[in-house]
Amino acid sequence: MAVDYTTHDGVAVITLNNPPVNGLGLSTRAGIVEGIERAQNDPAIKAIVLTGAGKAFSGGADITEFNTPKATQEPTLATVIKTVESSAKPVVAAIHSVAMGGGLELALGAHYRIAAPGAQIALPEVKLGILPGAGGTQRLPRAIGLEAALNMIVSGAPVMSQQLARSGLFDELAEGDLAEAALAFARKVGAKEGPHPKVRERKIEHPNAEGFIQFARNSVATLAKNFPAPLKCIDAVEAGVKNGFDKGLAVERECFVALVQTPESRALRHAFFGERAASKIPDVPADTPVREIRQVAVIGAGTMGGGIAMNFINAGIPVTLLETKQEALDRGLATIRKNYEASVKKGKLKPEALEERMALITPTLSYDDLKNADLIVEAVFEELGVKEQVFKRLDEVAKSGAILASNTSTLDVDKIAAFTRRPQDVVGMHFFSPANVMKLLEVVRGKETAKDVLATVMKLAKKIKKTAVVSGVCDGFIGNRMIEQYIRQALFMLEEGALPAQVDRAIEKFGFAMGPFRMSDLAGNDIGWAIRKRRYQEHPEMHYSKIADRLCETGRFGQKTGGGWYDYKAGDRTAYPSKLVDEMIVAHSKETNTQRRKIGDDEIVERLVFALVNEGAKILEEGIASKASDIDMVYLTGYGFPLYRGGPMLYADTVGLYNVERAIRRYASQPNGDAWQLAPRIAELAAQGRGFNG
Ligand code: 3H9
């Protein structure tokens, strides 16, 4: 049963009981209606309390039902709320922990609301690409005022119940036991004559509602460029302000139905579930015991090591920071301090917190100081010999059961594990630069990595607010292995007729934060050069355009050398197209006897994105990633793939794998076609009319 019904001295208590968050799925909705009717028909009942069991009042509509028949099957949420609102006996919503989306809308349909402090109150629907679809855009402005409501609706951000104590949303804030307070409140209002108050009957008071709505529309239009939902929220609120509750409700409904079918909403819901699914590893049960991480050590105080250390410090976990030389240690500490000072300046960190955080770092030059660490993350030079020295030393000093993690982005974690006598304790933790900012953490699972090590690292990742995705061992793991194919295509296109600025412009228009050439200039072109040199040795059969090598031979490594694919001016990160480089590209085509042609933006986008998709499919086939949504999470959180497209694999599903396959076969038959080896998984799924995500 998704709803419990109990009675307490004249009060009926309807308790949503649909773990984990009392989502308002069909059976829960039906249970509420049943409960209200039962209470109406029982003469002994004078009032009704509506509440939630477990860790939420309600997290809102059940998102998994969207676009399925259950979503529109009666009783819909609108019917449930109408039933609650029109109950002759007063309904008191007793809110704790979480009242979000449809959950808050349900509470707004009650006659009274009583809340525990510390409850998160939100209409977060915009974050899923929709708008509150069960009266939220109409009732919240009537409950807390136009401005506060519009802020909550358009941002989706949660507000703590105590902050709303005087907003008109709650009749009471329960300081003690919520259940008892709700019963007492219900008895009190149950003794009163009806009718009981309805939020829908309140007025929206605002001195200049029209002006404010116009102002909100203008601000939202620029902020929410690629997302249609926020503007629709304003349309619905405006309709209610101008034409009354019922007309507003009709506009809200219309907008909801349209938005829930948009690709943007599908992408955002995919990301919501993808983030949660990423933390689940198929053969590592949720109840796997975890190791306790009270003390962390980081080896290497460079940009990467310092950034990694900051993650733990920010979560209140003390860090021992090890370097080989005092100057390097001092430099690393100074950089960390500078980063925190910048946060203080921006008002993101309280000045007193700066010293507290710095105090959590113990700098050292001695491996002996690592003996108490529960987790040691290595961020030293990316060379197997250097890693060997570090891990052999760690094997000597680390306590038994300590997790030994490498931040390697390219090296074989199994080889690194084999430098120790405890490969089961070794794991890859691949942070992305800047490590204190980027959300992505690739957790690299070696062939001997213990399950409890994985479970521990995944849990810790949540604590340090990272999106952790598990990758098997392969060259480049998930993210960099795919990006290599993307860059390869970008370079071929230069040879065939495009110029860097055109390629970047096309893919940035598609929604990438940064095109491949601007990205490469930022990261340093020498990094890719080193990887290609290795490839020429290891995979001489793999064919690359030599245009990037030619650029590197001139010393144009990117922003750090004042020039790369673009020109840069001192103190200015703007990428200016470089006449010199463009001429070099054209000359290179000539020398390689390549007939330059006009390449359209559509082709640029297709070749870049499908190169990711094709490699992603191979990664799935090989079991390097366990699900397509993991790959999407890597690209959404680490590589600037546009969120509103949901990641490369979901995008491929949106285009249709049949079309992806045809395009790849076409490119395979054109110049540089040897780079396109169609992943069998794409052909298989396309033949079955399926996508990567079902
Ligand atoms: C809506 O209400 C539309 C209406 O306006 C109109 C309708 C007509 N549905 O985040 P967690 C699952 S739209 C289904 O790890 P936490 C989640 O997938 C809805 N499932 O926990 C996960 O499953 P699993 C508006 C949901 O404690 C588990 O619960 N509401 C839903 O860190 C635990 O989640 C929202 O957008 C749902 N609505 O945070 C709220 N919510 O264990 C979205 C959660 O299998 N939810 N799940 O991986 C949240 O923000 C957080 O989940 C919450 C709890 C704060 C509630």
Side-chain angles (χ1 to χ4, degrees), residues 20-21 55 59 61-63 102 105 124-125 128 132-133 272-273 276 280:
V21 297
K55 64 175 197 174
D62 184 343
I63 312 166
E105 292 175 299
E125 285 86 344
L128 301 169
F272 176 84
F273 286 115
R276 283 151 186 83
K280 300 185 180 78

Side-chain angles (χ1 to χ4, degrees), residues 55-300:
K55 64 175 197 174
F57 170 77
S58 170
D62 184 343
I63 312 166
T64 59
E65 279 187 359
F66 282 11
N67 294 326
T68 73
K70 277 189 177 173
T72 45
Q73 198 174 323
E74 290 287 1
T76 60
L77 193 51
T79 303
V80 175
I81 293 170
K82 210 168 174 184
T83 308
V84 168
E85 198 169 49
S86 51
S87 160
K89 299 177 182 177
V91 180
V92 181
I95 296 166
H96 64 89
S97 315
V98 165
M100 289 191 177
L104 178 57
E105 292 175 299
L106 174 64
L108 283 163
H111 306 103
Y112 304 98
R113 281 153 299 280
I114 168 164
Q120 296 184 66
I121 311 296
L123 288 177
E125 285 86 344
V126 272
K127 295 186 182 170
L128 301 169
I130 52 174
L131 86 174
T137 63
Q138 304 307 307
R139 287 192 183 85
L140 194 63
R142 285 170 169 78
I144 67 170
L146 179 62
E147 294 193 18
L150 208 52
N151 276 339
M152 281 181 72
I153 295 169
V154 168
S155 72
V159 181
M160 286 302 184
S161 50
Q162 59 273 27
Q163 281 171 264
L164 292 163
R166 272 188 275 277
S167 68
L169 181 59
F170 303 125
D171 297 278
E172 206 174 272
L173 209 61
E175 284 305 332
D177 183 90
L178 176 69
E180 268 175 34
L183 280 176
F185 189 90
R187 285 197 187 100
K188 197 170 71 189
V189 292
K192 280 193 196 167
E193 258 323 285
H196 294 279
K198 294 180 181 145
V199 172
R200 62 179 288 153
E201 288 167 356
R202 294 192 204 170
K203 294 241 159 345
I204 300 176
E205 311 277 3
H206 195 283
N208 178 13
E210 221 167 290
F212 175 70
I213 287 173
Q214 191 50 44
F215 162 76
R217 192 185 298 284
N218 293 344
S219 337
V220 166
T222 28
L223 284 175
K225 261 204 327 288
N226 296 305
F227 295 93
L231 278 177
K232 293 285 180 197
C233 292
I234 297 182
D235 289 349
V237 170
E238 183 180 35
V241 169
K242 282 192 176 154
N243 307 317
F245 186 89
D246 288 319
K247 296 246 170 63
L249 208 60
V251 171
E252 177 194 273
R253 186 76 215 143
E254 209 178 285
C255 294
F256 182 87
V257 170
L259 285 171
V260 79
Q261 291 167 39
T262 56
E264 291 83 0
S265 174
R266 185 181 179 202
L268 288 165
R269 280 179 277 135
H270 176 69
F272 176 84
F273 286 115
E275 167 123 35
R276 283 151 186 83
S279 65
K280 300 185 180 78
I281 312 168
D283 63 333
V284 179
D287 59 357
T288 304
V290 294
R291 302 185 189 183
E292 233 180 299
I293 306 294
R294 280 193 229 99
Q295 172 78 47
V296 170
V298 176
I299 305 183

